[in-house]
Every structure is written in structure tokens, then in C-alpha cells.
Amino acid sequence: MAGRTLCISFALAALACQPADAQQTILAANALFDLSVSTGVMSMSSKEIVYAARGNRYGSPAGALESRLDWRTRAAGTAALTLGVNALPRTRLETSLLLPIIGGDGKMTDVDWLNPATYPRWSDRSQHPDTRLGRAFTLDLKALRRVYESEGFSLDAVAGLRHVEQQWTAYGGRFVYTEKTRGACDYGAAPPVYLGDGVPRNCIGAFDPVAQIAFRQRFETPYLGLRLGYAVGRWALSADLVGSPFVVARDRDLHVGATVFDDQFRNQKMLGLTARAGYALARNVQFFLEADSQSYFLRKGLGVSHPIGGGRAGSYTAGLDLRAQRLSAGVRLALD
């Protein structure tokens, strides 16, 4: 038995060391088209921030942290489709679409500071464990140009454009607010507990189980980067590193029945890393695993608030970031 195992091991090693053409295992490099289909899980989080404006009603110093909403989704199911076109020698085009298909576990926490000097911890907080991921997708278009190739190694220059969009809605939840009077402590059908005038965090209760806050964000990202590849035997490994200092982003926050907040950001920074390991099952079929991480770093921008039902609009400084991680498995088909 040991002899047979040893023979099999030598046979597998010899197969792995054969040239790719002899095995017909490298995915048809000369194919005009190839199609990748994958499914996986994704987690992402985003911070939505409001900085105090000059002369604000709370008496906070201009630029002080006034409000922060932490949006989070874990283990959302995803589906992705990528079409590759080898249009010219050493030049490749790729377009891909990523869609969450299962909402995952969502949560949102909203924390306010009426005045950091008076309330160094926080003055108001609400937690929304029933937070649902709604409309969301990533559309990516990129071009790759081979700049180096030798003994299985390759290096491509990458240029692309990416559109990222998602929307969350927070339902129900619990709150601890700071209110000046009992009359102001009036949220939800069930009367909140009121601890008395002049007491920090004196209004405690629960919201009705309906939509409370909806948040939508969009990122438009022109980017540059590199793809490093290595192929040996049936295996093909690659890593993409891309980045941009020119992201244009927008978001909208709807506090249902109260206020709409519209924010705009320019020159936000993005950094992305994608690693893939593929194994050729046949000349035209490859199975692959992929890990992806995308970071849109915190950027300040201009925000405008619009009270629902009338009232004067107000301006403020806004902040926004986004982090997303994804693991997926799929199949790539070469179409001769």
C-alpha cells in the first residue's frame, strides 16, 4: 500500500510539472471570450457622520462630532458574473456585476452628541438590530495590458471604472435619548420611560416596528492598478491591487417623517485587493476561489438637511466611509 501511494505521489508530481500545453489545463488563453460565474458571502460596514456646523443649536464647537450612524451587514449571500474579452494581443477587457442575493445579518447604531463638552460619552443612542440590506450592486469595467511575461509569471497594468451602490433600511429598535421635558419624550406607541428634567439620557423606550431610517450611498470610482499572475500545471494564481484618490460619492439619509440629509464627497480615496486561485478541470473549464477586500476611506464632504413638511434647510460637514470583504467560489468557462 505504501508503495502504491508513493507511485501515485510521483505520478501527480510529474503531471504538475508538465508544460501547460501538454496537459491542456491552462484555460484556453487564445479564446476570444470567457465567462465566470460565482457565488459567495460578503460583509460590509459604513460610517455616516455629521460634524457640527458653526452656530449650531446645541452650542457645540464647529467641527465637533455631532452624529454617527454605523451601518453593518454580515454574511450576505452574493452572485457575480464576469465577462472577459481578449480583444487584442496582450490586451484584455473585463466587465463584472456583483449582486447580493441574500440579505444577511444587519444592524445599525445611531449615536448623537448634543454637546461634547456637556456629554463627553454621548447624549442620544438608538440601536436597530432589524436592519435590512435593500437595493445593492457593484458594476465594474476594466482594461488590462500585459507588460511582462516570463516562465509562468505575468504582470498587467489595470485601468477601470467602478460603480458601487447599496441601501439599508433600519426598522424598529430601542433608544436612549436626552430630552429637556417630558413632553419631548414621545416616541412610538408605547410611552417611553422618562427619568426627569435635566438628567442626561433620560428618555428610554422602543420604536414601533416600522421603517425608521433609510440610507443610500453611491460611489463612482475611476482607478488604476496592477495584476500579478503565476501559472503552473493546473494552477493559476493572481492578485489585483487597485486604488484611486478620485472617488466621487453621494449619500442620502431619510429619517422617516422628520428630515432628509443629502451629502456629497469628492476626491475620496479607495484601495482594493483581490486574490484568486484557479484550478483547471479541463481545457475550457476552471474552478476558482476568490477573496476580495475594498476600502473607501473616511472623507469629509458637504451635507444639506431638508426638514420634511417644510422648514429651513441647513448645511453641515458630513463624513462617509465603506469597508467590504467577500469570499466566493465559481467556475470560469473559455468560449472559443
Side-chain angles (χ1 to χ4, degrees):
M1 183 68 180
R4 176 181 294 182
T5 302
L6 186 60
C7 289
I8 292 174
S9 299
F10 275 116
L12 291 175
L15 180 63
C17 293
Q18 291 182 46
D21 291 339
Q23 296 181 61
Q24 292 189 336
T25 54
I26 298 299
L27 194 72
N30 295 324
L32 180 58
F33 300 101
D34 57 81
L35 181 67
S36 298
V37 180
S38 64
T39 185
V41 292
M42 177 176 67
S43 295
M44 57 183 173
S45 61
S46 180
K47 288 185 176 63
E48 174 195 1
I49 298 175
V50 174
Y51 300 94
R54 191 182 306 276
N56 62 86
R57 58 178 176 163
Y58 304 123
S60 301
L65 183 62
E66 187 171 286
S67 179
R68 188 184 72 211
L69 290 80
D70 294 315
W71 300 87
R72 187 196 71 192
T73 293
R74 289 182 177 173
T78 64
L81 182 69
T82 300
L83 176 64
V85 181
N86 298 302
L88 298 170
R90 306 179 69 86
T91 301
R92 175 177 170 82
L93 302 177
E94 290 183 1
T95 181
S96 61
L97 176 65
L98 172 67
L99 296 170
I101 55 176
I102 301 175
D105 177 27
K107 181 181 180 180
M108 190 273 283
T109 301
D110 181 1
V111 182
D112 294 341
W113 292 262
L114 295 183
N115 187 319
T118 306
Y119 304 100
R121 289 177 55 206
W122 49 268
S123 58
D124 304 85
R125 182 175 67 188
S126 63
Q127 295 177 306
H128 306 264
D130 184 9
T131 295
R132 307 171 195 176
L133 181 64
R135 171 187 172 93
F137 68 94
T138 298
L139 181 63
D140 188 280
L141 176 64
K142 59 175 165 282
L144 300 95
R145 179 69 175 175
R146 181 66 49 88
V147 295
Y148 176 80
E149 188 171 17
S150 177
E151 298 183 353
F153 289 95
S154 63
L155 182 66
D156 295 277
V158 181
L161 180 64
R162 179 176 299 163
H163 173 91
V164 178
E165 180 174 335
Q166 53 259 335
Q167 178 175 319
W168 286 277
T169 303
Y171 292 82
R174 305 175 300 276
F175 62 85
V176 178
Y177 287 166
T178 298
E179 300 293 355
K180 293 183 178 180
T181 64
R182 178 180 292 276
C185 182
D186 183 19
Y187 305 93
V193 174
Y194 185 69
L195 301 181
D197 297 350
V199 179
R201 299 175 283 277
N202 57 359
C203 179
I204 304 171
F207 293 112
D208 296 336
V210 297
Q212 301 294 327
I213 302 176
F215 180 54
R216 183 181 67 198
Q217 55 184 200
R218 297 177 179 176
F219 299 86
E220 308 292 349
T221 311
Y223 63 84
L224 297 174
L226 295 171
R227 172 176 293 178
L228 177 64
Y230 178 65
V232 57
R234 292 178 177 265
W235 291 96
L237 309 176
S238 67
D240 290 16
L241 178 64
V242 300
S244 175
F246 301 118
V247 180
V248 176
R250 293 175 177 267
D251 69 43
R252 166 167 284 194
D253 176 310
L254 169 63
H255 280 52
V256 177
T259 310
V260 174
F261 301 88
D262 287 315
D263 305 329
Q264 299 182 35
F265 308 87
R266 292 189 178 276
N267 298 330
Q268 188 169 19
K269 294 179 175 60
M270 180 277 285
L271 187 64
L273 177 63
T274 305
R276 174 185 285 200
Y279 183 79
L281 303 175
R283 181 176 181 274
N284 291 337
V285 182
Q286 181 194 70
F287 172 78
F288 67 86
L289 298 174
E290 187 174 84
D292 178 81
S293 177
Q294 305 292 323
S295 297
Y296 289 80
F297 298 101
L298 181 63
R299 179 68 175 174
K300 291 183 178 181
L302 175 64
V304 179
S305 60
H306 307 274
I308 295 175
R312 191 175 70 176
S315 62
Y316 56 89
T317 299
L320 179 68
D321 77 355
L322 174 68
R323 301 285 193 278
Q325 300 82 37
R326 178 171 56 93
L327 294 173
S328 60
V331 175
R332 184 179 171 197
L333 306 173
L335 309 175
D336 290 330

